[in-house]
Amino acid sequence: MGAVDDAFARLKATLEITDVEASTAAKRHRLIRDHIRERWDLEDDFLTGSYDRHTKTKKLKDVDVFVVIDPDGPQGSLADGTGYAAIAALRDILAPRWEVETDDVVARIVYSAEEVASYEIAPAFATTDGYLIPNGNEWMETNPSIHADLVTAKNQEFGGIFVPLVKMLKGINREYDEPIQPSFLLEVMALDLCIAPAQNYANEVQFFLAGAADAVRDDWADPAHLGDDVNKHMSPADRESASRMFTEWNLIAENAIALDEAGHSSEAVNEWRSLFGNRMPKR
C-alpha cells in the first residue's frame, strides 16, 4: 500500500464512530423511545438520518428518530393541528426528564456534557407514500427509507466504499467549519455525481469536488421526491459561495494527486491533510 492509500485507510478508520459513541447512542435512543412509547400511542418508532445510514462521522453530534403516531389513538388529533403544536406536545412529555429544544421540525434532547450531543425526534404520521412530519405551521411529506435504500444500493455498486467516501466529504466540510449546509446535501449530490466503477478514495474525492463546484448551483431534489429541495434555503449567493469552496478544495485535491503521481508521496499526504486536518492522522 502506498503512502497516500495508507493515509486514506487511516482517515477511514478515524471517521468511524467510536465504540463509546455507539454504545452511548444506543442506550440513549432506546431510553428516549421507551419514554415516548409509554406516554403516546405509536404505530412505529425508528432511527433515521445519517446515523441510521452509517454516513455520520465522528464526533457523533446527533441521532435522528421518527415516532409514528397512531392516528386512532389519543394523540391522533395532532394531525389536525399545526406542526408546531405537535412538536410542543412532544416537548411537553420530554421536558420533565431532559433538556429539550425545538425547531420547525423536531424536538431536540440535549446532552451537552456527553459524547453524543443531541437526539432529534420528529413526530410523524404515516401516509401512502411515506410520512408527514412538522414543517413549522404546516406538515411536509418525506420518506427516509427511500434515501436509505439509495445509499445501500450505491454502496454495493461501489464495492463498499461509497459510505466511507461520504464520510470523507463530510469530514472536509467539518474541517472548514461546515460551509456547505445542510451537510445532507453532500450525500444527495454524491449519489448522483459518483459514478461506478469506483476508483481509489483519492480520485473519488477529487472527482466529486470537481463536479460539485458546478452542480451545487442547481436545485437538488428530496431523494423521495416528496418534500422540498434539499438546498431550498440556499440563496444564489450561498450557492456561489459553496461553488467557490468546492473549487478551492478541488485545487488542493488535484495538487495532492499530482504530487503523488510525481513520486512525492509525503508531500501529497500533507496536501491531503490540509483538507482533512487531524482526521487524517500522521503515521
Side-chain angles (χ1 to χ4, degrees):
M1 181 182 293
V4 171
D5 287 338
D6 182 60
F8 271 93
R10 296 196 303 273
L11 170 67
K12 177 178 178 291
T14 301
L15 291 171
E16 296 293 335
I17 294 169
T18 67
D19 290 343
V20 170
E21 287 176 319
S23 175
T24 300
K27 176 182 176 183
R28 292 302 188 196
H29 77 67
R30 284 196 294 264
L31 182 66
I32 292 164
R33 292 159 71 185
D34 288 346
H35 179 89
I36 298 170
R37 278 196 300 265
E38 290 169 0
R39 289 156 179 82
W40 278 11
D41 286 2
L42 302 180
E43 287 189 325
D44 196 7
D45 59 273
F46 56 88
L47 297 173
T48 184
S50 56
Y51 174 78
D52 181 53
R53 296 189 300 273
H54 307 290
T55 56
K56 185 79 76 177
T57 63
K58 75 174 190 183
K59 184 178 179 182
L60 180 59
K61 294 195 297 184
D62 56 75
V63 173
D64 301 309
V65 178
F66 271 29
V67 291
V68 185
I69 299 166
D70 181 350
D72 298 320
Q75 291 76 40
S77 60
L78 290 172
D80 300 324
T82 67
Y84 280 133
I87 293 170
L90 180 57
R91 177 201 61 211
D92 289 346
I93 66 168
L94 298 172
R97 188 166 186 174
W98 292 283
E99 177 185 350
V100 181
E101 301 171 351
T102 62
D103 60 21
D104 288 354
V105 182
V106 299
R108 182 179 302 104
I109 293 176
V110 180
Y111 282 95
S112 54
E114 294 201 1
E115 286 292 320
V116 186
S118 67
Y119 298 78
E120 300 187 348
I121 306 103
F125 287 94
T127 68
T128 302
D129 297 318
Y131 302 92
L132 286 175
I133 62 172
N135 185 23
N137 278 322
E138 307 297 328
W139 293 80
M140 62 181 175
E141 194 157 13
T142 187
N143 191 336
S145 64
I146 291 177
H147 184 65
D149 290 345
L150 291 171
V151 169
T152 298
K154 178 69 81 169
N155 197 50
Q156 291 174 346
E157 183 183 8
F158 264 55
I161 80 164
F162 179 76
V163 166
L165 174 63
V166 169
K167 291 183 177 182
M168 292 174 187
L169 299 173
K170 290 182 176 181
I172 296 173
N173 197 39
R174 278 200 183 182
E175 182 66 19
Y176 284 74
D177 295 326
E178 300 188 289
I180 311 301
Q181 291 285 350
S183 62
F184 178 51
L185 177 62
L186 294 167
E187 199 169 326
V188 172
M189 293 175 70
L191 284 167
D192 185 70
L193 297 178
C194 298
I195 306 298
Q199 300 193 34
N200 58 40
Y201 285 121
N203 283 327
E204 289 299 333
V205 168
Q206 189 272 315
F207 290 157
F208 173 85
L209 296 174
D214 287 328
V216 74
R217 298 186 178 99
D218 299 335
D219 295 331
W220 285 88
D222 163 31
H225 298 284
L226 294 172
D228 294 333
D229 289 343
V230 175
N231 57 344
K232 175 185 176 181
H233 297 295
M234 290 181 73
S235 68
D238 292 335
R239 298 182 190 204
E240 285 303 318
S241 177
S243 176
R244 289 191 296 271
M245 196 77 259
F246 280 126
T247 298
E248 177 183 332
W249 292 341
N250 181 52
L251 289 174
I252 294 171
E254 286 181 338
N255 191 45
I257 289 171
L259 284 167
D260 190 39
E261 290 176 345
H264 305 298
S265 58
S266 294
E267 291 89 340
V269 171
N270 286 334
E271 192 75 354
W272 282 116
R273 292 189 78 248
S274 70
L275 283 181
F276 295 107
N278 291 331
R279 292 176 177 82
M280 180 177 274
K282 296 181 179 179
R283 287 183 181 275

